[in-house]
Amino acid sequence: MPYTFPAGFLWGVAGAAHQIEGGNVNSDSWVLEHVPGSPFVEPSGDACDHYHRYPDDIALIRSLGFNSYRFSIEWARIEPEEGEFSYAALDHYRRMLEACHASGLTPVVTYHHFTSPRWFAAKGGWEVLANADYFARYCERATAHLGDLIGAACTLNEPNVGLLIQHMGHMPGDEAMLNASYRRAAARAVGSDDFAAFPNCRHAPARDTFLKAHRLAFDAIKAGPGSFPVGLTLALVDHQAAPGGEAARDAARAAIDEPFLETARHDDFIGVQTYSRMRHGPDGVLPPEAGVPVTQMGYEFWPEALEGTIRYAHVFTGRPVIVTENGIGTENDADRIEYVRRALRGVQHCLQDGLPVRGYCYWSVFDNFEWSQGYRPKFGLIAVDRVTQTRTLKPSAEWLGQIARANTLAD
Ligand code: GCO
């Protein structure tokens, strides 16, 4: 049976400033991308030049059939030096928001999507609890300038992702992170004693700063202007227990997700961002199961994970859910369509069971800068020529746009 989604369901595409804007030279990531021993395989460079091309990009997103666009505003541009706010940068994001409204897209704004200004990293970044106040002040100033045009807001993007990746064994532990040569090289490059950027910070101390920063930011954004839902987004894998792995699964949830889900109980919604599952055995995380294909990121192709994480996040928090990210890195666009079709079936099942799921944003609108892995993974509905910046629609863009326009998932 075809399934029609609730009226007003948000159908969006998602992106993030540093991954698509290009030339984000004042960010902590830019510094790390250029130091000797950089953990990045290549620099972000021009990215998708979205900073200049947003009018055409927004019109393109709308023309495909979507009714929402999730993007992030860049702290490194808005507050280039401590306490110095750029009205030119804020006006840029105001024009983006106006372009969304003019074309009929509800803007979902992320205040922090991994990158921070250099000066913030030089002050110890997220490792220092008191630094939460800087983030709150930035949120207050940005909201003062933009709030009347925001449709929904995410404070922090995936503050738990470092804990998750460490748990998967794909990132060194906190002590190794502290002693990484690129961290010292970055500190030298900006003339400071230390340099703690989001990807290379010690995630155990950072956790408490994130939790504090989120609450302060929530209040700052709620002070207005504007009246729109505010929430947190989390990197949620569907934790599954193989026989005997129940305790390991529960321990992983308690360490990676639950402190954040706990605070989200006080929010307007919880942003669920899911790409795959994680299986736990008696001795910890299990490798991909034999016979299950893996994506370009090395994750199991497991679109059903989304249904599991929506249920988990909603039951834990009691809050409405927006799927703020779901997608797949693949060169094979038919696999993307298959992945999203199955993930949307999961959303359908949740809705049919009465769960308040308010929207679905595909990650990502463009093939873009996938952080340390550079431009190799292809998450986009739209391909981007790295030299000419020409945009080319993939079949999945039109396929998903058609579902969005019809608000219906066909058989
Ligand atoms: C994240 C981020 C995105 C990524 C995406 C694909 O989840 O890490 O929000 O910036 O690009 O998830 O890995």
Side-chain angles (χ1 to χ4, degrees):
M1 286 282 285
Y3 175 76
T4 296
F5 286 72
F9 193 80
L10 286 179
W11 288 101
V13 284
H18 189 75
Q19 295 178 270
I20 58 176
E21 284 182 346
N24 192 16
V25 300
N26 193 45
S27 65
D28 51 3
S29 185
W30 188 276
V31 176
L32 279 183
E33 289 162 28
H34 292 89
V35 291
S38 169
F40 292 80
V41 299
E42 59 183 323
S44 51
D46 287 338
C48 304
D49 194 26
H50 185 64
Y51 198 78
H52 300 106
R53 293 168 195 260
Y54 76 86
D56 289 349
D57 290 341
I58 285 173
L60 181 60
I61 292 166
R62 180 58 179 160
S63 74
L64 285 166
F66 295 99
N67 63 22
S68 178
Y69 178 34
R70 174 176 177 241
F71 62 92
S72 70
I73 57 176
E74 180 53 60
W75 187 9
R77 296 186 195 271
I78 293 173
E79 190 179 0
E81 294 293 342
E82 183 191 332
E84 282 184 32
F85 288 85
S86 164
Y87 289 101
L90 286 165
D91 282 341
H92 169 84
Y93 292 116
R94 214 176 149 80
R95 287 190 295 273
M96 277 186 78
L97 289 163
E98 284 165 350
C100 287
H101 287 288
S103 69
L105 296 172
T106 298
V108 177
V109 172
T110 306
Y111 281 67
H112 187 273
H113 198 122
F114 296 169
T115 44
S116 303
R118 294 172 179 228
W119 62 262
F120 182 76
K123 283 178 171 291
W126 299 105
E127 291 183 6
V128 178
L129 189 63
N131 285 353
D133 292 342
Y134 291 116
F135 181 63
R137 179 177 62 179
Y138 149 70
C139 290
E140 180 199 316
R141 296 294 288 263
T143 309
H145 208 80
L146 307 172
D148 57 318
L149 296 178
I150 293 176
C154 312
T155 56
L156 294 161
N157 184 71
E158 298 188 349
N160 67 334
V161 75
L163 295 168
L164 170 65
I165 298 176
Q166 283 180 338
H167 203 93
M168 285 156 73
H170 293 170
M171 196 189 260
D174 274 359
E175 284 321 300
M177 208 90 87
L178 183 62
N179 296 316
S181 65
Y182 58 76
R183 180 164 170 154
R184 289 193 301 278
R188 273 197 303 279
V190 301
S192 71
D193 295 336
D194 197 6
F195 196 84
F198 185 104
N200 75 324
C201 75
R202 286 176 291 151
H203 289 279
R207 187 192 73 169
D208 295 337
T209 313
F210 286 135
L211 290 169
K212 179 177 175 199
H214 171 64
R215 287 268 58 91
L216 292 174
F218 182 91
D219 290 343
I221 297 169
K222 279 293 189 184
S227 171
F228 47 86
V230 180
L232 178 67
T233 78
L234 293 178
L236 296 176
V237 298
D238 189 19
H239 293 285
Q240 299 181 357
E246 291 77 6
R249 176 201 58 199
D250 294 348
R253 285 178 165 165
I256 302 165
D257 305 332
E258 288 176 6
F260 295 97
L261 290 170
E262 191 78 52
T263 192
R265 287 177 171 150
H266 306 285
D267 297 346
D268 297 323
F269 70 91
I270 174 73
V272 167
Q273 312 203 152
T274 296
Y275 293 87
S276 191
R277 65 172 180 172
M278 185 189 277
R279 291 184 316 129
H280 301 269
D283 301 319
V285 179
L286 296 171
E289 191 172 355
V292 177
V294 294
T295 71
Q296 273 187 314
M297 300 294 285
Y299 310 149
E300 287 180 298
F301 183 98
W302 203 267
E304 288 70 24
L306 182 61
E307 179 173 349
T309 55
I310 291 172
R311 290 182 189 277
Y312 168 59
H314 173 69
V315 167
F316 198 103
T317 62
R319 306 316 298 155
V321 170
I322 301 176
V323 178
T324 38
E325 287 183 22
N326 176 248
I328 177 174
T330 179
E331 292 280 359
N332 183 340
D333 201 51
D335 285 350
R336 188 180 335 275
I337 290 175
E338 173 68 8
Y339 180 93
V340 176
R341 188 202 313 277
R342 283 164 53 183
L344 288 177
R345 281 284 173 232
V347 176
Q348 170 188 335
H349 297 148
C350 292
L351 286 163
Q352 285 171 329
D353 286 347
L355 272 71
V357 188
R358 304 285 190 240
Y360 175 93
C361 295
Y362 179 78
W363 181 276
S364 181
V365 54
F366 299 119
D367 287 339
N368 65 29
F369 183 66
E370 182 54 30
W371 305 108
S372 63
Q373 302 202 29
Y375 289 96
R376 184 189 61 90
K378 302 284 189 272
F379 278 91
L381 299 174
I382 302 171
V384 178
D385 185 287
R386 301 246 31 83
V387 175
T388 65
Q389 295 288 351
T390 304
R391 275 70 169 137
T392 305
L393 299 180
K394 302 180 190 177
S396 56
E398 281 163 329
W399 174 83
L400 186 55
Q402 174 52 35
I403 292 171
R405 190 179 286 116
N407 199 29
T408 297
L409 182 61
D411 275 335

